[in-house]
């Protein structure tokens, strides 16, 4: 229970993650009653109003039910709920993918503001590379449940190392006019996560694959300062001081 209060989650579908039978104030006060039993009822009500205000809603939102809000407002309610326990970490699982484009930026800006002002660590899970690039300090790229590359956001987007990362970035749409991007997409379909190929899981689709890629599972090695990748082709040479 004590550990749970330090970690909270903002789910992809805000409507599905909120109790439709409780008002916003009711669900927030329920959390406060469990984790802060020393608070009196009046103090819990005041704290609930502070939380919704902090999430960008009016104080009277505490009297309304989830179905009375728009999608973006419901996600703000979910953020207010995550803040209720004063966590050290918030896991945001595709927090804007279910929202209209017009309100995605508002929710993202709110998350960034909370992270900067409160010092809360934010773990963002997303397939939207533009979102990742906009708000992330550090990026870890995963393929079939394994991290294949990890680096600071600016470094990873400027100089990706792993073939999957390069293909992932090349597949992202660009709004830059007059610039044609050469796309190199992996061949075939991803294998089943429960029946992974031998060696590197990406080798059946990798254009840079070598025979040893089918035999050896690459470790996540340091390929440059603050930059790691799980790739035999781009692994540091034996005796390289960057190996780690």
């Amino acid at each position: 229970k004590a550990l749970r209060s330090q970690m909270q989650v903002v789910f992809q579908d805000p409507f599905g993650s909120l109790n439709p039978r409780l008002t916003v104030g009711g669900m927030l006060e329920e959390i406060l009653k469990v984790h802060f039993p020393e608070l009196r009822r009046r103090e819990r009500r005041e704290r609930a109003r502070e939380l919704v205000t902090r999430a960008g809603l009016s104080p009277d939102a505490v009297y309304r039910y989830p179905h009375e809000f728009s999608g973006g407002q419901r996600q703000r309610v979910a953020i207010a709920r995550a803040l209720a326990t004063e966590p050290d970490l918030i896991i945001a699982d595709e927090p804007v993918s279910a929202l209209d484009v017009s309100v995605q930026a508002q929710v993202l800006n709110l998350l960034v503001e909370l992270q900067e002002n409160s010092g809360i660590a934010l773990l963002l899970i997303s397939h939207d590379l533009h979102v990742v690039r906009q708000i992330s300090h550090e990026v870890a790229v995963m393929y079939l449940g394994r991290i294949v590359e990890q680096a600071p956001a600016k470094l990873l987007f400027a100089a990706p190392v792993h073939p999957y990362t390069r293909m992932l970035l090349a597949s992202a749409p660009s709004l830059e006019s007059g610039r044609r991007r050469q796309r190199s997409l992996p061949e075939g379909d991803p294998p089943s996560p429960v029946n992974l190929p031998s060696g590197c899981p990406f080798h059946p689709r990798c254009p840079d694959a070598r025979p040893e890629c089918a035999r050896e599972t690459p470790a996540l090695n340091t390929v440059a300062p603050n930059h790691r990748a799980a790739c035999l082709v781009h692994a540091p040479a034996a005796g390289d001081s960057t190996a780690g």
Side-chain angles (χ1 to χ4, degrees):
K1 177 181 170 182
L3 180 62
R4 186 180 302 173
S5 67
Q6 299 173 33
M7 301 180 292
Q8 291 295 309
V9 182
V10 176
F11 295 96
Q12 179 177 1
D13 179 10
F15 192 65
S17 64
L18 300 175
N19 190 334
R21 296 178 177 84
L22 292 178
T23 63
V24 170
M27 67 179 72
L28 292 176
E29 288 183 42
E30 187 178 65
I31 296 171
L32 295 171
K33 187 175 182 180
V34 171
H35 293 281
F36 302 98
E38 71 278 6
L39 294 178
R40 298 179 179 179
R41 185 175 182 182
R42 178 173 55 83
E43 293 173 323
R44 291 197 299 268
R45 288 181 177 177
E46 184 60 32
R47 176 63 176 155
R49 293 189 183 94
E50 293 176 359
L51 287 168
V52 296
T53 302
R54 191 177 175 189
L57 297 170
S58 61
D60 63 358
V62 296
Y63 303 110
R64 298 161 62 187
Y65 289 87
H67 72 269
E68 299 180 78
F69 295 95
S70 66
Q73 290 173 327
R74 282 196 288 264
Q75 197 62 294
R76 289 177 182 272
V77 171
I79 293 172
R81 182 181 61 179
L83 294 171
T85 63
E86 300 178 3
D88 298 320
L89 169 68
I90 291 180
I91 301 173
D93 183 8
E94 297 280 8
V96 297
S97 63
L99 306 179
D100 293 337
V101 176
S102 59
V103 298
Q104 286 185 2
Q106 299 174 20
V107 174
L108 288 174
N109 289 336
L110 172 61
L111 289 172
V112 171
E113 180 183 347
L114 292 172
Q115 193 274 333
E116 292 177 347
N117 295 338
S118 305
I120 299 173
L122 179 65
L123 174 60
L124 173 72
I125 302 170
S126 179
H127 68 277
D128 191 327
L129 296 176
H130 295 295
V131 170
V132 172
R133 188 171 192 171
Q134 178 183 347
I135 72 172
S136 299
H137 298 96
E138 184 91 5
V139 178
V141 178
M142 300 187 72
Y143 182 75
L144 292 175
R146 298 180 180 179
I147 295 177
V148 297
E149 187 164 1
Q150 183 175 352
K154 291 183 179 180
L155 178 59
L156 186 135
F157 279 89
V161 171
H162 196 279
Y164 176 67
T165 304
R166 296 201 305 267
M167 293 179 179
L168 198 64
L169 297 179
S171 66
S174 175
L175 297 179
E176 297 182 24
S177 60
R179 180 180 178 182
R180 300 190 66 179
R181 179 180 297 180
Q182 183 179 359
R183 298 191 177 188
S184 177
L185 301 179
E187 298 180 357
D189 297 322
S192 169
V194 298
N195 187 24
L196 295 175
S198 61
C200 174
F202 189 60
H203 88 265
R205 311 175 70 201
C206 180
D208 300 335
R210 299 174 181 175
E212 59 266 29
C213 296
R215 300 190 300 267
E216 303 177 35
T217 301
L220 193 64
N221 288 314
T222 300
V223 296
N226 300 320
H227 197 159
R228 300 192 298 168
C231 181
L232 296 175
V233 177
H234 299 281
D240 193 326
S241 61
T242 63

